[in-house]
Amino acid sequence: MSSPFTWNRQRPSVMPSHRYRDVYERVSVPVTERRWPTNRITRPPLWVPVDLRDGNQALAEPMDPARKRRFFEQLVAMGYKEIEVGYPSASQTDFDFVRLIAESDLAPEDVTIVVFTPARRDLIERTVESVRGIRNDVVIHMYAATAPLWRDVVLGVSRAELTELIVSGGRDILELAGDCPTIRFQFSPEVFILTEPDFVLELCDRMTTLWDASPDRPVTLNLPATVEVATPNVYADQIEYMHRNLSRRDGVILSVHPHNDRGTGIACAELAVLAGAQRVEGCVFGNGERTGNVDLATLALNLHAQGVNPMIDFSDIDAVRRVVEDCTRMPIPERHPYVGDLVYTAFSGTHQDAIKKGFAEHRARAAQLGVPEREIDWQIPYLPIDPADVGRSYEAVIRVNSQSGKGGIAYLLQTEYGLELPRRLQIDFARHVQRHTDTTGAEVSAAVLRDLLTEVYTAADDRIRLVSHPIRAIADGRIAVEIDGRTIDREFGEREPVSVLVDLLAGCGVRIEVLSLTEQAVDRSEVGASATYLEYRAQGTTRWAIGFGHSPVDSALGAVISAASRSADEIPLLPTG
């Protein structure tokens, strides 16, 4: 009998792998007696999101000032204490955003602002001009590409010439900003991962000497895997070599910036921290050039799953996702670790059985100890963390059979009625469909699905209704609502109709918080020309409502009325007059 591996040796080559060289042939890392394999991560590094600079420059549609501000405020709310806010010498938008921080109270005083610049005097001058007057601590981050291919092909300089270029840039920064005690300095040898270890060590030591790195005014040395080209252990060796050989080590904050070209950016970052890195740059959900920067959310929640507090708040991860998706105009994949729509959902019957048994055992342990379930160790099969830790409910986990049918439900509604339900609404609706089938035991047709959808998500009764037709309301500049037979109206001004209606209802005691609105044109007469799917929060619970109509405004206002109707357990009497 031949070995099952024989084919592996005999199969003709179909991929030109001979064109590539192992990174060890290009960069030999002089590390012996490695310490990183036996180290453990017991506290989080300093997290530095670069979404507003590195992530932004990778977007097909870079963020406008409003989106950039919203993203920044989200980062601050989550607890990030050092944030790279832009590349002020590269665009007026970035320059203006840095000036906004300087001239407003947008940044809390305990947040350090990082700005990015090449090692070129005119661009350094523009960068220093942008941060002048900022009350916060500031880091001026200077970079230059150092790897041989970049030196030879991109820059056309020798090692000595590149050294002089970098040191000259460092002198310019020192001349222009060295006398400001709230400004610190950072140097990134771009493509560190492919740079000769002796050369990059020499460059870093030159910069820490020039900038007089000390514990009182440390210099950040950021060592990026600009293009991920090797297994994570190689990067760990490189970081440990720098960690153990840098001069002025006590005056250095050793930072890493892994990209994800090989799909192992997370591993690179974690091993780098084991090897001595104290700071990690990345994007919240891994946005960035090519396959992205390292994913800070995954890194943080990996620590959380090991009992280490990441010191960043992901307790409402869906709210964070909504901001990131809105600001970047990019969806988060369904299987994205920790935040994807499907990552806490089991479709397999064996997984479902194990999870249900795990929850039963978890409840029993809590009862035996006489403590709340949230206070005992988390040990549930297939669920590395408690979904509630990141603001997810148990519904999608426990009712996995209802989850497994959502694809067919969505298909029938789309093909028969042209309705394309958002993913999270599909999940929510599947629970109601399962409840219906459990009760009736009957096959569910497209018509029954449509009727059930209307029953569950549109207005429960006529207690709240629009008085005027939305199109006429827009023309008149006012909106009128009848509640329990009494009519109230409000002027639009320059505001959006949905916002006006939400505020009007809140004044009557019906409070809903709009989380997302998805409008869809529908070409089926059964439901109207437009459908709006509204995700909202009422009485502390996230819910869905739907509105149908002849126009987007019509269906959007209808969705708000549906939400209000289902949220108004008791509507107070309105004042007369």
Side-chain angles (χ1 to χ4, degrees), residues 5 16 62 69 71 91 163 219 253-254 281 344 362 414 460 483 506:
F5 299 104
R69 177 171 185 156
F71 206 134
S91 76
T163 299
V219 167
I253 298 172
L254 192 59
E281 293 186 353
Y344 305 107
H362 187 76
Q414 195 279 326
I483 301 179

Side-chain angles (χ1 to χ4, degrees), residues 4-188:
F5 299 104
T6 303
W7 72 271
N8 221 12
R9 295 193 298 272
Q10 295 179 347
R11 184 179 178 87
S13 174
V14 294
M15 296 290 292
S17 302
H18 62 278
R19 300 178 59 212
Y20 304 94
R21 290 181 295 154
D22 189 293
V23 71
Y24 276 111
E25 296 181 23
R26 290 179 277 176
V27 180
S28 177
V29 187
V31 172
T32 58
E33 299 181 1
R34 295 169 177 82
R35 298 170 187 169
W36 64 259
T38 57
N39 288 340
R40 295 178 58 194
I41 301 177
T42 57
R43 62 180 182 181
L46 172 61
W47 309 111
V48 182
V50 296
D51 298 82
L52 301 179
R53 194 274 302 174
D54 201 342
N56 189 49
Q57 70 189 32
L59 298 176
E61 181 188 343
M63 286 180 266
D64 57 31
R67 284 188 285 153
K68 201 160 193 180
R69 177 171 185 156
R70 186 182 180 206
F71 206 134
F72 179 82
E73 290 172 338
Q74 178 65 60
L75 295 173
V76 170
M78 295 167 70
Y80 288 107
K81 297 302 181 185
E82 188 168 321
I83 302 171
E84 190 169 78
V85 299
Y87 192 160
S89 66
S91 76
Q92 189 63 42
T93 298
D94 274 22
F95 185 91
D96 291 344
F97 186 71
V98 179
R99 293 311 304 159
L100 174 65
I101 293 173
E103 296 165 3
S104 70
D105 58 358
L106 182 60
E109 62 181 19
D110 63 344
V111 172
T112 297
I113 302 302
V114 185
V115 288
F116 190 74
T117 181
R120 210 176 86 186
R121 184 175 179 90
D122 59 328
L123 302 182
I124 291 169
E125 289 175 341
R126 179 70 167 164
T127 303
V128 173
E129 180 187 352
S130 76
V131 301
R132 203 169 299 283
I134 290 183
R135 297 178 295 277
N136 303 67
D137 287 346
V138 172
V139 174
I140 296 178
H141 177 185
M142 187 189 79
Y143 82 96
T146 56
L149 182 63
W150 276 253
R151 296 197 306 262
D152 297 341
V153 175
V154 180
L155 301 175
V157 296
S158 65
R159 278 175 53 154
E161 290 169 328
L162 180 61
T163 299
E164 177 53 34
L165 182 151
I166 291 170
V167 172
S168 177
R171 290 195 197 103
D172 291 336
I173 289 177
L174 199 59
E175 173 193 335
L176 296 167
D179 60 350
C180 181
T182 59
I183 293 181
R184 294 188 289 107
F185 310 128
Q186 174 175 335
F187 171 59
S188 285

Side-chain angles (χ1 to χ4, degrees), residues 316-383:
D316 190 353
I317 201 167
D318 287 331
V320 177
R321 175 178 62 181
R322 283 190 292 270
V323 171
V324 172
E325 287 181 329
D326 179 63
C327 292
T328 64
R329 303 290 194 259
M330 292 176 62
I332 303 299
E334 295 164 1
R335 298 292 183 186
H336 193 107
Y338 298 107
V339 68
D341 279 336
L342 301 180
V343 296
Y344 305 107
T345 302
F347 294 92
S348 162
T350 56
H351 287 207
Q352 173 190 1
D353 181 64
I355 290 169
K356 285 185 176 180
K357 289 175 179 175
F359 273 117
E361 193 273 340
H362 187 76
R363 286 190 294 269
R365 277 192 294 126
Q368 185 178 18
L369 295 171
V371 297
E373 293 177 30
R374 293 277 290 170
E375 293 184 11
I376 64 173
D377 290 349
W378 179 258
Q379 298 179 48
I380 304 292
Y382 299 111
L383 293 175

Side-chain angles (χ1 to χ4, degrees), residues 461-479:
D461 51 43
D462 291 326
R463 294 184 67 197
I464 307 176
R465 66 182 187 87
L466 289 172
V467 174
S468 57
H469 189 280
I471 298 299
R472 183 178 297 279
I474 296 296
D476 295 342
R478 303 188 70 82
I479 191 165

Side-chain angles (χ1 to χ4, degrees), residues 52 74 111 145 186 193 284 300 349 439 452 471 484 524 526 542:
L52 301 179
Q74 178 65 60
V111 172
Q186 174 175 335
I193 196 171
V284 174
T439 302
L452 185 60
I471 298 299
D484 283 349
R524 306 290 200 280
E526 293 90 344
T542 300

